[in-house]
Amino acid sequence: MASLPVIPGHGGFVQPSSYLRPRGQSHPMTSPKPESAIDRDQRIALQRIRDFLRVRTSYDVLPLSFRLIIFDTSLLVKKSLTILTQNGIVSAPLWDSRTSTFAGLLTTSDYINLIQYYWQNPDAVNRIDQFKLNSLRDIEKAIGVSPLETASIHPLKPLYEACRRMLETRARRIPLVDIDDETGRAMVVSVVTQYRILKFVAVNVHETQLLRKPLRHLKLGTYKNLETAKMETPVFDVIHQLVNCNISSVPILNSDGVVTNVFEAVDVITLIKGANYDELNLNVGEALQKRSEDFPGIYTCHIDDRLDTIFDTIRKSRVHRLVVIDEHSRLVGVLTLSDILEYILLEGEGDDSKAD
């Protein structure tokens, strides 16, 4: 009886493929490509960030002292706009006092929906001043858009879960909702934004300095089919771009393709404060002149910039997106905080166990 081939160093264990392979034939073993130092550092940095997000809670992100403004759903839309602009905020949790329940998160998207409704129903402009926040649901149904953001998370849940919830719902912020021990009712604690989370990471996870791969190699951001506008573009046209493409900003270019500014969804609030909807008939250039004097400007980067430098920018400045430009300041792409958050949570997720 012929003896079976034995793998050296494995005693009597037989390689299964030996039964099928004709004698005298073998397949050369391919050595795995060695991991480069920059790949190793990138993998370790991502794992350290995820480990950090798993052991810290959403509550940890909150500053020692903060202010929370909550709107009752019976409040007039006109008054809500005034409160937002007076306090320099762009969103607020909603509370239904009739049922004593959390009713969602009011954002700039809801005001843009109202503008879309006004555009589709010009005869209703006289009634818009009487709209209450609880009528926003009817407006959403009338124009066929997504309903109010209602995702929330308990403040003591891991921050990692809050990030995943935001990615799943495509939300840029998420309310923290606790349960009152005495009444058993929901209680809104605060709202956590993508920016605050990423800054929390930038300040506390020193391994972000290991993220030395350039954007070009990470394929991070959007570089095709970019929506753009010019200073002469009517504001209404840009609003349609924001809605139809589900984006929060549109780069403004000159005739040479050079980035001169960015029209953001939050700019709409400045235009319609006081329910002055005639301001929507302005062009982009006229609208941007109405920004407050403390507007921080737009942030740019290059395709060969690295993620470690971008995290350093987030740590130092209040950044919501970066416009990717070339050496002549022409538009190349757009990098959002959502892109960065998705990358640090999902890139190479199956390789987490390899981290040193």
Side-chain angles (χ1 to χ4, degrees), residues 231-269:
M231 286 295 189
E232 300 76 28
T233 305
V235 168
F236 256 125
D237 289 355
V238 179
I239 290 175
H240 294 325
Q241 289 176 283
L242 295 173
V243 173
N244 295 336
C245 300
N246 192 25
I247 53 180
S248 61
S249 65
V250 174
I252 309 302
L253 314 181
N254 66 12
S255 57
D256 297 321
V258 172
V259 178
T260 59
N261 216 314
V262 174
F263 187 92
E264 304 176 348
V266 295
D267 289 318
V268 173
I269 292 181

Side-chain angles (χ1 to χ4, degrees), residues 200-220:
F200 190 58
V201 169
V203 169
N204 293 285
V205 183
H206 300 300
E207 283 83 359
T208 54
Q209 298 172 10
L210 299 177
L211 296 170
R212 295 194 295 268
K213 278 191 173 182
L215 296 178
R216 183 190 302 275
H217 295 160
L218 298 178
K219 298 179 180 179
L220 191 56

